[in-house]
Amino acid sequence: MNQLPFSPDINNNALASIFNYTSATYKFYWFLAIVEEVERGNKEIQKDRLFARMISNAWYPVKYFRLSFGSQDHISQLINDFFNSTSIKVSDDKAEIRKCLIETKDITILKKLYHLDKNVPHKFLSPWFKGSKKSIYESSQLDFQNSIYHLFKNHIIVNDNWYDYIRLNAKVIKDFIYWNLALFIQARNPSTPDVINKLIKPAKRNSLTKQRNKFWNIYLEKRPETKCIFTNETLNPKNYHVDHFVPYSFVSHDLIWNLVPINSNFNTSKSNKLPLVKKYFDGFYKLQNDAIQVFGKSMPKNFKEEYLSVFPNFEDNEQINYSQYKDVISPLITVAHNNGFEYLN
């Protein structure tokens, strides 16, 4: 998604080149913050509001999905610092995170937030102005049409022509930002699946009701002595949970080949920790393989297609051998651990 609407009232070439020579996520999140403020009718915007938006927009990719932003990017470090020094939780909404950061009276937190002022606001203007930080500030204040904003010590003022352009094309501009951000982050997380869907906190996680009712309930009716692979306790068909073997926060999908019925009490403490392959994979494989055999040719088409998405020969054999399955699961768990996910004790 690289096409931006043309307008004779702005410098289109500067806008198109805004993410050239980008070595960190700062420009993406700074521009996104400006667009969000303009969407709300704000033309003169305090820097601390923009910095808080940057942190809130990057929070979920960093804290929930554990994406790496690269060695030159300090946003992840700032987010981890704020997580440890404030009441902000991993699952908090962007609005809650912004409010906490903007309303804080903690000087240490404010200083850390203003770390983003060191380079971001003036370097973002590099397509319009060259030179030192001081000269860019001065040039932006004298420019009334060309550049996107005037830059001051504690705030920016969006130029009228840019304000109108952003208001008119906000959705397309945000798509442009997220597309380029996804390419940037994917390059730094080459083995991580589905990066583009990990940049925004979903409004609501999908329910696993279909997988429970149409797959695991049927299996447990025929295998009432099935035990939880984690606790070794017999599962209660009326009180169990369906969970992801490799955590959702890494794979970001609900495909049946990664789901397993487990003890409901254990699931509340499991969180998004990783199962040790040596300890739990055999039990997971045996349960999955047996479920496949129980369904046989009567397996619903949509579940069969989910197995086929990673096991191309599944339709011919209606089974998955041990090594094939392990070759899919093991690398996912290894990469997830390298990204910061912890193992189950």
Side-chain angles (χ1 to χ4, degrees):
M1 195 281 163
N2 292 306
Q3 287 297 108
L4 286 164
F6 174 82
S7 171
D9 300 321
I10 66 162
N11 186 331
N12 292 272
N13 290 333
L15 177 60
S17 66
I18 212 162
F19 297 132
N20 290 357
Y21 314 111
T22 302
S23 59
T25 63
Y26 304 130
K27 287 183 180 179
F28 303 107
Y29 284 116
W30 173 253
F31 193 16
L32 182 61
I34 292 171
V35 173
E36 289 179 340
E37 286 288 332
V38 169
E39 280 187 293
R40 285 153 183 79
N42 299 321
K43 189 178 295 184
E44 181 173 331
I45 313 166
Q46 293 298 119
K47 284 181 179 178
D48 60 353
R49 294 186 62 83
L50 294 169
F51 298 148
R53 281 193 179 276
M54 290 175 69
I55 296 298
S56 67
N57 282 322
W59 188 274
Y60 214 64
V62 169
K63 290 305 296 178
Y64 185 77
F65 288 118
R66 309 291 180 91
L67 294 177
S68 170
F69 287 179
S71 60
Q72 298 185 54
D73 196 303
H74 287 184
I75 284 185
S76 296
Q77 180 182 328
L78 288 173
I79 287 173
N80 287 323
D81 286 347
F82 294 145
F83 177 74
N84 293 326
S85 61
T86 69
S87 60
I88 304 173
K89 300 185 288 294
V90 171
S91 58
D92 279 349
D93 292 328
K94 293 195 299 182
E96 295 171 312
I97 297 169
R98 288 198 306 273
K99 182 179 180 182
C100 180
L101 295 176
I102 291 171
E103 294 182 356
T104 185
K105 305 298 182 184
D106 189 323
I107 300 300
T108 302
I109 292 174
L110 290 171
K111 283 183 178 179
K112 287 180 178 178
L113 198 61
Y114 260 81
H115 167 81
L116 297 168
D117 192 41
K118 184 178 180 180
N119 292 311
V120 179
H122 76 277
K123 286 194 172 182
F124 185 82
L125 293 177
S126 59
W128 291 272
F129 308 112
K130 306 299 180 185
S132 66
K133 182 176 180 178
K134 180 180 178 182
S135 69
I136 291 175
Y137 268 75
E138 292 172 349
S139 298
S140 77
Q141 292 168 22
L142 295 172
D143 182 274
F144 293 101
Q145 291 298 324
N146 186 43
S147 69
I148 192 168
Y149 53 77
H150 311 295
L151 185 53
F152 298 90
K153 182 180 180 180
N154 294 314
H155 69 282
I156 69 169
I157 300 176
V158 180
N159 266 319
D160 290 343
N161 55 336
W162 281 96
Y163 177 83
D164 293 339
Y165 178 82
I166 293 171
R167 291 272 286 181
L168 183 63
N169 301 292
K171 185 182 184 306
V172 177
I173 295 171
K174 286 194 290 186
D175 286 347
F176 171 75
I177 295 169
Y178 275 118
W179 175 256
N180 283 279
L181 176 61
L183 295 176
F184 178 89
I185 294 181
Q186 184 69 75
R188 284 147 185 81
N189 298 265
S191 300
T192 300
D194 201 25
V195 163
I196 198 164
N197 286 317
K198 294 179 176 178
L199 301 181
I200 302 175
K201 180 181 179 181
K204 186 179 180 182
R205 278 275 302 274
N206 292 329
S207 166
L208 297 177
T209 302
K210 179 184 71 174
Q211 293 88 336
R212 181 188 179 94
N213 292 341
K214 303 292 185 180
F215 194 92
W216 292 114
N217 277 354
I218 295 171
Y219 174 75
L220 292 176
E221 283 179 11
K222 298 186 178 183
R223 295 286 193 269
E225 299 304 314
T226 299
K227 293 184 177 181
C228 173
I229 65 171
F230 297 110
T231 67
N232 204 37
E233 296 176 10
T234 301
L235 293 171
N236 180 347
K238 295 183 179 179
N239 183 26
Y240 73 94
H241 286 178
V242 176
D243 194 36
H244 302 76
F245 189 67
V246 184
Y248 173 85
S249 48
F250 181 71
V251 296
S252 74
H253 66 64
D254 300 320
L255 299 181
I256 198 69
W257 57 264
N258 186 48
L259 298 179
V260 63
I262 67 173
N263 181 283
S264 57
N265 291 328
F266 175 79
N267 192 38
T268 58
S269 61
K270 177 176 175 288
S271 186
N272 64 346
K273 292 183 179 178
L274 297 165
L276 289 163
V277 172
K278 287 184 179 180
K279 188 173 183 179
Y280 296 113
F281 176 76
D282 283 6
F284 170 75
Y285 171 77
K286 288 176 183 176
L287 199 157
Q288 273 278 351
N289 188 56
D290 190 48
I292 290 168
Q293 301 308 309
V294 164
F295 277 96
K297 295 186 180 299
S298 66
M299 182 180 291
K301 183 179 179 181
N302 59 311
F303 293 133
K304 183 180 290 188
E305 289 175 350
E306 290 180 10
Y307 283 112
L308 279 166
S309 67
V310 284
F311 304 111
N313 297 324
F314 179 77
E315 191 166 27
D316 296 330
N317 303 327
E318 289 181 348
Q319 62 181 1
I320 305 162
N321 72 45
Y322 179 89
S323 296
Q324 270 187 304
Y325 223 131
K326 197 170 186 178
D327 286 345
V328 169
I329 295 294
S330 291
L332 290 174
I333 291 178
T334 299
V335 173
H337 181 59
N338 291 341
N339 282 17
F341 288 83
E342 297 178 355
Y343 283 115
L344 280 166
N345 291 328

